[in-house]
């Protein structure tokens, strides 16, 4: 870990990224929304639902990295305009992925947090570009990456002068096939030992199973995660992307009823 | 050419045909002000026979006659509608037209090249009403317009505040990654400088925001976009790539509605222009009258007199109607304190910002 000059843990401070009224790294930050922006109605209805369930921010993809080139690629700038409208309607800040260095400045015009997806974790030219964007960055862990590789990617962003990096554990590839990936929950306390940067977990892509989302979210909060980023779709069966893994608004509301009390409980436990 | 390109060109021509037709209809409406009746058979025959002399191999003469006949019939129908002609400065889609549409929802909006064309056009009965910007929340007074107000006989019969919300507009098929040049009025470009710099876009000054949008729609130059109003996107079928790209807080412009006749409404706001002699305390004495009568001033601005640059005139807007007793009283006392005073009229106050 010797190559980390900016990301390495210090005795004096932990990074707190403030977006709107949410302080990621201090409060429990809940980011929820559809995998992709598909239409205005779908995005705004989902945004309203997650807002009333207590989410702090809205997620939604306008530029989508898909395994197959023939799958839905996202609505692009049109999708960003829909997210902007959802933000105006609900007040929720926007988290959205950027795939291409040429798009960074454009996406930054609409988004409050730029997301770097798992497949782009080591896209170094993209990392440099978001480092210069003036927006906080949610950096997902590469699905085949070690913690050291991941933190070096955060270092790329920090070294461009952008102090606001949020790490996101989203599951890694193992031999297990029951779940889509394996959520590396040990990354939460490990990251807190290694760096001052906040860490959130993605229980959706890591498990790929709606029934596992809530237990893993609760476990992440118990392990000390700074937040979760979770896929919620107003009608999961109609989703154009990852239809089989999104939560319903009702499921999300039920989980939220338990998640925040758990965090409060954890904070009250004796040291 | 591929089929796709051919179709693209056809679509563009159709749009241009409509933009030109809109311009023709506007001119037809203006012609009515010079005529006693809408129908003029001699003129119609003249139009038809002249256009038939064009010898185009793909356009049959009988088709030309049918087409122009249809256009003339529609233009006569429009003239019969008796919509008020509302003049504004700029091209269709200018912020002046946004204000005109708010103030007179059923009007026919006629673009003018210069502010003076709006004033003269209304004075000379070519238009029924005019809409001019008088002040902007960031840039201050629109001096040309204020200057024209000092010399005109027109009355102010309404006001509207319009939010200047700049949008980056592109033709529907443009990829944002290809945009390099952005055309607009220098003031709009200056207000969006941060956005242009962040996205590495080159500013290209153009005479008017709406003119830039119109040019983009008609000529579709490569790698280009325009900064203009939302209305322009609608009028010229352009895509809003991003709305609200101005750097600072949204600014708004206040427009006045001008007419030859005073407002039929009693009004709750009034505007006057006056000049005082160069003597200590004269301006104060005038303002004191308003203070003592408990009349709230909503705008006070000074401008050098064109005719006498050593002296200033003052623009005063205040709450209340010229028919209110206390206003009548203040204005009567003012006559004695000023060397000139001009009443622009009383009118309903703008309700909110659009």
């Amino acid at each position: 870990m010797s190559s980390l000059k900016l990301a390495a843990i210090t005795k004096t401070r932990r990074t707190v990224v403030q977006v709107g009224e949410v302080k990621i790294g201090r409060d429990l930050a809940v980011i929820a929304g559809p995998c992709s922006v598909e239409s205005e109605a779908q995005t705004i209805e989902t945004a309203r639902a997650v807002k009333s369930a207590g989410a702090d921010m809205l997620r939604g993809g306008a530029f989508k990295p898909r395994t197959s080139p023939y799958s839905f690629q996202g609505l692009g700038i049109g999708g960003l305009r829909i997210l902007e409208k959802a933000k105006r309607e609900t007040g929720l800040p926007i988290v959205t992925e950027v795939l291409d260095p040429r798009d960074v400045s454009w996406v930054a015009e609409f988004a409050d947090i730029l997301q770097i997806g798992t497949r782009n974790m080591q896209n170094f030219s993209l990392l440099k570009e978001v480092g210069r964007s003036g927006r906080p960055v949610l950096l997902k862990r590469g699905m085949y990456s070690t913690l050291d590789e991941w933190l070096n990617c955060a270092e790329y962003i920090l070294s461009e002068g952008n102090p606001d990096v949020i790490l996101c554990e989203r599951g890694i590839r193992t031999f297990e096939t029951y779940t889509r990936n394996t959520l590396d929950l040990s990354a939460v306390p490990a990251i807190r030992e290694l760096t001052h940067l906040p860490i959130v977990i993605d229980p959706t892509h890591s498990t790929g199973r709606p029934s596992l989302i809530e237990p893993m979210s609760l476990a992440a909060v118990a392990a000390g995660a700074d937040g979760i980023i979770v896929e919620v779709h107003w009608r999961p069966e109609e989703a154009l992307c990852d239809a089989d893994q999104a939560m319903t608004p009702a499921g999300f509301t039920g989980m939220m009823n338990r998640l925040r009390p758990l965090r409060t409980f954890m904070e009250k436990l004796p040291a | 050419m591929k089929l796709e390109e051919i179709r693209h060109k056809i679509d563009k021509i159709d749009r241009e045909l409509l933009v030109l037709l809109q311009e023709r209809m506007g001119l037809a409406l203006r012609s009515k002000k010079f005529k006693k009746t809408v129908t003029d058979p001699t003129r119609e025959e003249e139009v038809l026979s002249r256009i038939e002399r064009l010898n185009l191999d793909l356009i049959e003469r009988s088709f030309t006659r049918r087409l122009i006949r249809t256009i003339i019939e529609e233009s006569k129908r429009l003239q019969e509608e008796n919509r008020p002609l509302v003049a504004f400065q700029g091209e269709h889609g200018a912020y002046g037209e946004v204000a005109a549409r708010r103030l007179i929802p059923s009007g026919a909006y006629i673009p003018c090249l210069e502010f003076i064309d709006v004033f003269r056009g209304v004075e000379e009965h070519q238009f029924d009403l005019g809409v001019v910007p008088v002040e902007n929340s960031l840039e201050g007074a629109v001096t040309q317009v204020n200057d024209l107000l000092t010399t005109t006989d027109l009355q102010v019969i309404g006001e509207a505040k319009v939010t200047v919300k700049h949008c980056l507009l592109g033709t529907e098929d443009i990829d944002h990654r290809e945009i390099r040049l952005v055309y607009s009025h220098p003031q709009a470009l200056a207000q969006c400088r941060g956005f242009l710099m962040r996205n590495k876009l080159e500013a290209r000054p153009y005479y008017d925001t709406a003119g830039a949008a119109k040019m983009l729609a008609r000529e579709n130059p490569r790698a280009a976009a325009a900064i203009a109003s939302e209305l322009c996107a609608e009028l010229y079928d352009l895509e809003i790539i991003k709305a609200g790209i101005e750097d600072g807080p949204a600014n708004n412009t206040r427009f006045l509605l001008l007419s030859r006749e005073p407002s039929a409404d009693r009004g709750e706001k009034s505007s006057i222009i006056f000049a005082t002699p160069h003597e200590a305390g004269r301006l104060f004495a005038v303002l004191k009258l308003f203070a003592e009568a408990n009349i709230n001033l909503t705008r006070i601005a000074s401008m050098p007199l064109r005719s006498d640059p050593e002296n200033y005139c003052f623009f005063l807007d205040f709450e209340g109607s010229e028919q209110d007793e206390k206003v009548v009283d203040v204005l009567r006392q003012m006559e004695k304190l000023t060397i000139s005073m001009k009443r622009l009229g009383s009118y309903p106050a703008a309700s909110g910002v659009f």
Side-chain angles (χ1 to χ4, degrees):
Chain A
M1 301 272 163
S2 56
S3 59
L4 300 176
K5 291 182 179 162
L6 301 166
I9 188 84
T10 64
K11 284 200 180 75
T12 50
R13 65 176 188 102
R14 296 203 67 83
T15 289
V16 175
V17 178
Q18 181 154 5
V19 177
E21 285 165 18
V22 196
K23 294 186 176 75
I24 306 162
R26 186 167 303 156
D27 314 330
L28 179 70
V30 177
I31 307 166
C35 178
S36 317
V37 175
E38 296 161 11
S39 70
E40 195 170 301
Q42 165 252 5
T43 307
I44 291 175
E45 285 313 314
T46 306
R48 287 211 181 101
V50 301
K51 161 98 179 180
S52 70
D56 302 301
M57 283 183 250
L58 179 68
R59 59 148 290 148
F63 295 92
K64 298 300 298 176
R66 300 305 300 277
T67 306
S68 159
Y70 310 115
S71 301
F72 174 62
Q73 301 287 308
L75 296 178
I77 294 271
L80 296 176
R81 275 202 302 275
I82 293 175
L83 287 169
E84 190 179 41
K85 192 161 182 196
K87 177 182 176 176
R88 215 164 37 236
E89 299 264 320
T90 61
L92 294 176
I94 300 300
V95 184
T96 195
E97 179 164 0
V98 57
L99 294 176
D100 187 318
R102 292 174 296 176
D103 293 336
V104 169
S105 67
W106 291 95
V107 178
E109 296 292 342
F110 297 86
D112 297 282
I113 296 182
L114 299 174
Q115 178 180 315
I116 299 295
T118 183
R119 293 167 183 82
N120 269 318
M121 187 197 82
Q122 283 186 316
N123 182 341
F124 299 118
S125 52
L126 182 61
L127 296 178
K128 285 183 188 171
E129 202 62 40
V130 296
R132 293 190 285 258
S133 69
R135 292 271 182 234
V137 178
L138 183 101
L139 178 65
K140 286 203 165 185
R141 179 181 180 182
M143 57 182 96
Y144 316 98
S145 302
T146 65
L147 298 184
D148 183 46
E149 284 162 343
W150 186 17
L151 289 175
N152 270 290
C153 293
E155 189 79 17
Y156 262 91
I157 300 168
L158 297 170
S159 68
E160 290 296 330
N162 186 346
D164 294 331
V165 177
I166 304 147
L167 300 166
C168 176
E169 159 62 35
R170 50 81 64 207
I172 48 176
R173 285 261 163 115
T174 64
F175 55 81
E176 181 53 66
T177 55
Y178 180 72
T179 49
R180 179 172 167 172
N181 293 281
T182 298
L183 178 65
D184 179 9
L185 210 48
S186 67
V188 174
I191 282 293
R192 292 178 71 90
E193 281 176 8
L194 295 169
T195 175
H196 53 83
L197 298 171
I199 176 164
V200 302
I201 70 118
D202 173 352
T204 310
H205 292 91
S206 50
T207 63
R209 287 178 174 267
S211 61
L212 304 186
I213 292 176
E214 178 172 337
M216 294 322 288
S217 299
L218 293 169
V221 168
D226 294 299
I228 60 166
I229 177 166
V230 59
E231 280 182 11
V232 179
H233 196 287
W234 70 333
R235 294 170 189 157
E237 67 286 353
E238 290 174 20
L240 294 178
C241 167
D242 293 349
D244 46 358
Q245 67 180 30
M247 264 184 147
T248 60
F252 177 69
T253 307
M255 175 175 82
M256 288 301 289
N257 287 339
R258 290 175 280 275
L259 201 67
R260 291 212 194 268
L262 175 65
R263 165 77 169 212
T264 313
F265 174 78
M266 293 299 297
E267 281 167 350
K268 283 183 190 152
L269 287 179
Chain B
M1 258 199 292
K2 290 182 190 152
L3 178 61
E4 214 171 282
E5 285 173 63
I6 292 173
R7 286 192 168 152
H8 181 73
K9 287 205 169 180
I10 288 177
D11 292 349
K12 212 168 98 183
I13 289 172
D14 285 347
R15 264 211 305 268
E16 253 182 84
L17 282 174
L18 287 177
V19 169
L20 287 172
L21 266 179
Q22 155 95 359
E23 210 170 305
R24 191 192 188 284
M25 293 299 175
L27 290 168
L29 287 176
R30 292 184 63 176
S31 76
K32 195 188 159 196
K33 297 281 171 194
F34 297 88
K35 302 186 295 189
K36 286 204 176 67
T37 54
V38 167
T39 312
D40 183 347
T42 334
R43 166 68 183 159
E44 282 174 30
E45 197 41 52
E46 198 184 301
V47 170
L48 289 167
S49 58
R50 180 171 310 144
I51 206 108
E52 270 180 352
R53 269 179 262 150
L54 276 170
N55 196 1
L56 304 167
D57 63 331
L58 296 179
I59 317 269
E60 292 273 341
R61 291 218 162 102
S62 61
F63 170 73
T64 312
R65 191 162 263 272
R66 277 202 317 274
L67 179 68
I68 300 296
R69 171 66 57 200
T70 310
I71 294 173
I72 290 175
E73 288 308 320
E74 174 60 12
S75 129
K76 287 199 294 197
R77 189 195 64 75
L78 264 178
Q79 293 176 58
E80 299 284 6
E81 268 186 6
N82 274 327
R83 294 198 210 181
L85 297 194
V86 189
F88 64 94
Q89 187 273 330
E91 295 271 7
H92 275 298
Y95 289 102
E97 185 174 356
V98 177
R101 283 170 179 249
R102 292 288 175 197
L103 286 160
I104 309 289
S106 58
Y109 314 102
I110 310 292
C112 290
L113 202 57
E114 305 277 356
F115 292 126
I116 191 163
D117 302 329
V118 177
F119 279 86
R120 295 288 169 268
V122 181
E123 285 165 3
E124 292 164 6
H125 294 253
Q126 292 182 33
F127 311 119
D128 298 303
L129 300 162
V131 170
V132 289
V134 64
E135 55 176 336
N136 176 270
S137 59
L138 280 184
E139 315 287 338
V142 183
T143 47
Q144 268 187 50
V145 168
N146 285 303
D147 199 48
L148 287 162
L149 283 171
T150 63
T151 55
T152 183
D153 291 326
L154 296 177
Q155 292 283 302
V156 177
I157 64 162
E159 64 166 359
K161 282 183 185 165
V162 173
T163 305
V164 177
K165 188 173 166 196
H166 291 309
C167 302
L168 187 73
L169 305 179
T171 49
E172 60 176 342
D173 48 356
I174 193 149
D175 181 345
H176 62 279
R177 291 166 188 157
E178 284 170 9
I179 302 172
R180 292 284 171 271
L181 307 174
V182 178
Y183 292 87
S184 195
H185 188 275
Q187 199 169 34
L189 292 169
Q191 286 172 357
C192 302
R193 213 173 53 171
F195 177 86
L196 297 176
M197 275 173 53
R198 288 194 299 276
N199 294 295
K200 300 184 182 71
L201 302 170
E202 189 186 319
R204 284 286 169 97
Y206 209 72
Y207 67 93
D208 178 35
T209 53
K214 185 176 173 185
M215 180 277 290
L216 192 71
R218 291 178 71 171
E219 295 169 26
N220 198 4
R222 285 176 68 87
I227 295 175
S229 68
E230 262 176 326
L231 178 61
C232 285
E234 206 181 300
L235 293 179
Y236 300 114
D237 186 27
L238 294 168
E239 195 190 338
I240 299 174
I241 300 167
K242 176 90 171 73
I245 58 168
E246 58 278 344
D247 302 329
N251 62 102
N252 63 69
T253 302
R254 184 168 157 251
F255 289 86
L256 297 181
L257 180 61
L258 304 174
S259 165
R260 291 181 298 275
E261 305 298 328
S263 171
D265 213 288
R266 180 187 173 95
E268 60 235 12
K269 226 181 137 176
S270 307
S271 296
I272 55 170
I273 305 172
F274 65 93
T276 54
H278 245 311
E279 286 165 29
R282 281 302 186 105
L283 176 60
F284 174 73
V286 169
L287 297 179
K288 198 168 144 232
L289 293 175
F290 285 90
E292 282 172 351
N294 200 22
I295 298 172
N296 186 32
L297 303 180
T298 54
R299 174 193 182 219
I300 172 160
S302 66
M303 201 176 74
L305 279 173
R306 273 284 159 96
S307 51
D308 180 8
E310 294 289 297
N311 278 300
Y312 285 86
C313 63
F314 299 94
F315 290 78
L316 212 62
D317 292 355
F318 55 87
E319 286 172 6
S321 164
E322 281 179 7
Q323 291 173 39
D324 295 354
E325 216 167 287
K326 64 178 180 182
V327 175
V328 171
D329 198 42
V330 164
L331 294 180
R332 198 175 46 231
Q333 293 184 63
M334 260 185 87
E335 302 273 3
K336 296 173 205 148
L337 296 168
T338 54
I339 46 176
S340 71
M341 189 169 94
K342 186 182 169 80
R343 299 173 186 210
L344 292 173
S346 300
Y347 46 89
S351 50
V353 184
F354 297 104

